[in-house]
Amino acid sequence: QVQLVESGGGVVQPGRSLRLSCVASGFTFSSYAMHWVRQAPGKGLEWVAFISYDGSNKYYAGSVKGRFTISRDDSENTLYLQMNSLRTDDTSVYYCAKEINSISWPNWGQGTLVTVSS
Amino acid sequence: DIQLTQSPSFLSASVGDRVTITCRASQGISTYLAWYQQKPGKAPKLLIYAASTLQSGVPSRFSGSGSGTEFTLTISSLQPEDFGTYYCQQLNNFPRTFGQGTKVDIK
C-alpha cells in the first residue's frame, strides 16, 4: 500500500536551515506530483510547495518563496524540502502529500514537527 | 490568491443529525475542490474530490456538491466517529489554498 514517511524535523534556531525528507513506497514515485503542506500548532492547513512528477515545475507559497526549495530524487523515492533562513512562524508539522491527476491528494504522510526557537 | 471561506467555523450536533458545511471561493474554481477530515494529531484524510466524487473507502453518508464559487459537504447522518475538523481545498490555481476549517463536535 502507499506509504509516505517524513523525517528531518526537530528544534532549530531562527536563521538556521533544515532539510525534510519524505520517503515514498507502494507506488511508482516518479509518476506523481508531490506537495508539502504545513500546520502550525492549533492552526489550519497551509500549502507550502509543489513539484511536478518530472521535477520540471515547482511552485511555492509566498510565505516561503526564496527561502524553501522543493526537490525530488526518484532513484531514492524521496521528496525533499530544504528550509533556509527559518523563522519562528515556520514552526509547524510538515506533511508531504501525493497528488493524482491534479484533482486529489489521497495519500499523506504522518508529519514531522519543526520547531524554530532560540 | 483564491480565498476559501468555510461556515460555520464550529458546530455541535447530535448523532443522527444531518450536517452541512459550506465553502465559498473568492473566484470561480469550477469543480476543483476537495474536502478533508482531520482528527487531532493525525494527517488530513481525503473525503471528497472534484467537488462531488467520494474517495474510495469513505462512508456514503458523506457527500459533496457545488461548482464555481459555492460548495457544500453534507453528512447525512452524523456518527460518533465523525468528530474532527473539516477543511475544503481548492486545486484550481496555485497557490493551493485551504479553508480555515470547521470543527465538528458531537453533542
Side-chain angles (χ1 to χ4, degrees), chain A residues 39 44 47 50 95 103 105 109, chain B residues 36 38 42-43 87 89 95-96:
Chain A
Q39 187 169 36
W47 172 79
F50 161 89
Y95 298 99
I103 61 171
W105 299 6
Chain B
Y36 296 88
Q38 187 180 33
K42 299 294 187 183
Y87 295 95
Q89 177 204 27
R96 302 293 194 239

Side-chain angles (χ1 to χ4, degrees), chain A residues 35 37 39 43-47 50 59-62 95 99 102-106 108-111, chain B residues 32-34 36 38 41-46 49-50 55 87 89 91 94-100:
Chain A
H35 296 261
V37 174
Q39 187 169 36
K43 303 296 184 182
L45 300 168
E46 180 188 15
W47 172 79
F50 161 89
Y59 298 102
Y60 298 93
Y95 298 99
E99 177 182 287
S102 302
I103 61 171
S104 75
W105 299 6
W108 294 58
Q110 84 290 349
Chain B
Y32 287 93
L33 189 103
Y36 296 88
Q38 187 180 33
K42 299 294 187 183
K45 174 187 174 183
L46 178 65
Y49 65 94
Q55 170 66 10
Y87 295 95
Q89 177 204 27
L91 297 92
F94 285 100
R96 302 293 194 239
T97 47
F98 292 88
Q100 82 280 11

Side-chain angles (χ1 to χ4, degrees), chain A residues 98-108, chain B residues 29-37 45-58 62-66 71-73 87-91:
Chain A
K98 170 192 166 195
E99 177 182 287
I100 295 182
N101 295 333
S102 302
I103 61 171
S104 75
W105 299 6
N107 306 107
W108 294 58
Chain B
I29 58 171
S30 184
T31 57
Y32 287 93
L33 189 103
W35 289 97
Y36 296 88
Q37 176 196 64
K45 174 187 174 183
L46 178 65
L47 301 174
I48 301 284
Y49 65 94
S52 60
T53 302
L54 191 68
Q55 170 66 10
S56 175
V58 174
F62 291 93
S63 64
S65 64
F71 302 85
T72 58
L73 172 71
Y87 295 95
C88 59
Q89 177 204 27
Q90 66 83 15
L91 297 92

